[in-house]
Amino acid sequence: MKDVRLFDTGFSAGEGLARFAQAVPDAGGIVSFVGKVRAEQDVKALELSHYEPLTLPGMEALADRALERWALDGLMIWHRVGIMQPGAPIVLVSAGARHRRDAFEAVDFAMDHLKSDAWFWKRERRSDGWHWIEPRGQDHNDLSRWDILTEQD
Amino acid sequence: MKDVRLFDTGFSAGEGLARFAQAVPDAGGIVSFVGKVRAEQDVKALELSHYEPLTLPGMEALADRALERWALDGLMIWHRVGIMQPGAPIVLVSAGARHRRDAFEAVDFAMDHLKSDAWFWKRERRSDGWHWIEPRGQDHNDLSRWDILTEQD
Amino acid sequence: MSVRVLFLGKLSDLAGAERDMDAPLDWAGLLENLPAGAKALVEGEKVRLALNGTLLADKTALQAEDGSEIALLPPVSGG
Amino acid sequence: MSVRVLFLGKLSDLAGAERDMDAPLDWAGLLENLPAGAKALVEGEKVRLALNGTLLADKTALQAEDGSEIALLPPVSGG
């Protein structure tokens, strides 16, 4: 079971989680991550832009890699694009598995790759206008964990 | 924010997740684990027994350790006891944090300790009667990961 | 003048969920009052003992007074 | 006879979201048509190029025909 979507309007994380739980009734464990626009001082809005011909196929390929690498009953990746207010959900990733370790690692893997390796560009609107958010070093460290694990497989 | 509870009747994982999300409005990321009774061949019911004078204080202490060790906005640990049918939720752990890595590690840590280090005893009812579930080697491996990390702190 | 003894997990199959024993009760007295199967397990290092809700570091140092509660705790179940 | 060129992320601040350029278009032709600020970034190794939805391994080998879409992709945003 694979459910990969891009939304250009808001989605309900609660409804997504409930839908996923129903779709994987035999999973003994479900790990989920919900990411929201942080309510930071002076951030009025966040815009996530993307290049659709790469973004959605990239998310599908990411889901396929996770489904191949871990023993999962299902994987859901929902991602917002467009302009969002603080507190709005940006991303929802859920994995259901027989063993919780598989579900944890699959969600962690998907989030690391969505954050650093997916075709999204972010900018924030502050009182003095829009500001692009640059790549972060931590994300590349997060990603490289998986490469090391791959070499050891 | 800390919400640690034992339930002797069923709880709704969806309601718990929704309540937690409302309780940590400033968390940029929420990681959750929902564990259910596995629908396995010939398992009619699962009974979880506990020793309350140790179990609940143990869960509180576990939550306190996680809140101390990671930068969290909140942590929820809900656990069932009693007799459950296949598909029923047993455990719900959610952590909200500014940085997703903290939330992932806190939930993973809490689950490893709940599974191997908390005062719960499980038995399954099969067609030929009740069977106690013994400790598993994997759980002790999972736990020892955290001890190694502690030594390195 | 009694001590309540609780048997958790599979110890309850061997000794019942709980028994009352005469107070005061020490380690030797506890073992004397257990059925053979439960006694063998309780003597082993894997079974922990809590007195009035607190784990004893050395269960053989048990000294239970009237009204006390002893819990005998086998290893917890895995995942 | 034109090629559509899309500018993602902060490249859109320097060159607008999209421009049409004359077809056929190669790497040298693309650079010639960019404003100076965007040109410097696009020439750098961190900006990737997709032709009709496929990333080019070597962007300097670009050969775009009439009706093609080029996307210029700066590094994606972190966390």
Side-chain angles (χ1 to χ4, degrees), chain A residues 38 49-51 53-54 114-123 130 132-136 139, chain D residues 6 8-10 12-13 48 50 52-55 69-79:
Chain A
R38 282 185 201 134
S49 51
H50 68 133
Y51 180 54
L54 292 180
L114 283 172
K115 286 284 184 173
S116 310
D117 198 26
W119 296 102
F120 293 113
W121 296 269
K122 285 183 190 170
R123 55 177 189 163
W130 287 100
W132 291 101
I133 299 174
E134 301 289 333
R136 290 197 316 147
D139 292 318
Chain D
L6 305 180
L8 280 298
K10 69 181 173 189
S12 65
D13 287 352
R48 304 291 305 271
N52 297 324
T54 302
L55 288 170
E69 180 175 278
I70 290 170
L72 292 165
L73 314 156
V76 295
S77 302

